[in-house]
Amino acid sequence: FKEKVVATTSRNIEECVFTGKGDMVAFGYPRRIVLINSSGRGARGGVDIGAIPVLAMDPRGEFMLTSDGPGVTLRPLPDSPTTMLSAENTRLVIPGARWRSLAFSADGNRVWVSNVYSNMVYGYTRDFSAVETALGPHEFPDAVAASPDGRWVASGSSLLLNAKVWNVETRAEALTLHA
């Protein structure tokens, strides 16, 4: 193992996520997301976002999702070592405020998002054409994760200090854990 410094500071980093291919890593700072080559050889650009950096990487390495005031935005990733992350070609895929957590299924076919206004977790198809599943209620779900086989989704609430595990097929709550 050899340590490689890829950013000048880690101050105020709230989230970091590798791309699906592992060639780049995104760092979420308050109001900004920066994309850097994993090798440490240069920045790949950055985008301004809302106050809380909420992001997820497509496991296939095609795009990342970010959440800010208008909703969840799909941002295509640079497709060659010389191209940069750009605000161009982005599209709003889930409108509305307060999407606090984003997670992909292992195969990238589903996207799970939690919303603290509706107190629900929603499962979307990869093309965002339809909501396949709604799970909840879970008050203030600001964390979400999907099991590798896609059968389970977990949501967490920093407000209630609890987590719930959901059966995706039945949409039923399978377990609640309290801090």
Side-chain angles (χ1 to χ4, degrees), residues 8-71:
T8 57
T9 180
S10 60
R11 184 181 172 119
N12 299 323
I13 288 179
E14 295 187 17
E15 190 161 359
C16 58
V17 183
F18 279 93
T19 59
K21 298 174 184 174
D23 58 337
M24 295 175 279
V25 61
F27 293 96
Y29 296 92
R31 305 201 184 289
R32 184 130 180 98
I33 293 174
V34 176
L35 191 64
I36 297 173
N37 287 323
S38 299
S39 67
R41 294 199 169 120
R44 298 298 296 276
V47 292
D48 294 327
I49 56 154
I52 300 170
V54 177
L55 64 137
M57 289 291 181
D58 167 28
R60 299 179 192 175
E62 297 172 8
F63 59 88
M64 81 171 156
L65 297 174
T66 61
S67 174
D68 52 24

Side-chain angles (χ1 to χ4, degrees), residues 145-158:
S147 67
D149 63 8
R151 294 176 44 213
W152 307 97
V153 168
S155 58
S157 170
S158 63

Side-chain angles (χ1 to χ4, degrees), residues 82-98:
T82 58
T83 57
M84 301 291 280
L85 180 66
S86 169
E88 296 177 24
N89 301 320
T90 63
R91 68 181 168 105
L92 185 67
V93 291
I94 306 172
R98 310 282 289 199

Side-chain angles (χ1 to χ4, degrees), residues 138-139 155-165 173 175-179:
H138 188 182
E139 188 175 351
S155 58
S157 170
S158 63
L159 180 67
L160 296 181
L161 300 176
N162 70 7
K164 295 185 179 196
V165 177
E173 180 182 329
L175 174 68
T176 299
L177 303 167
H178 299 277

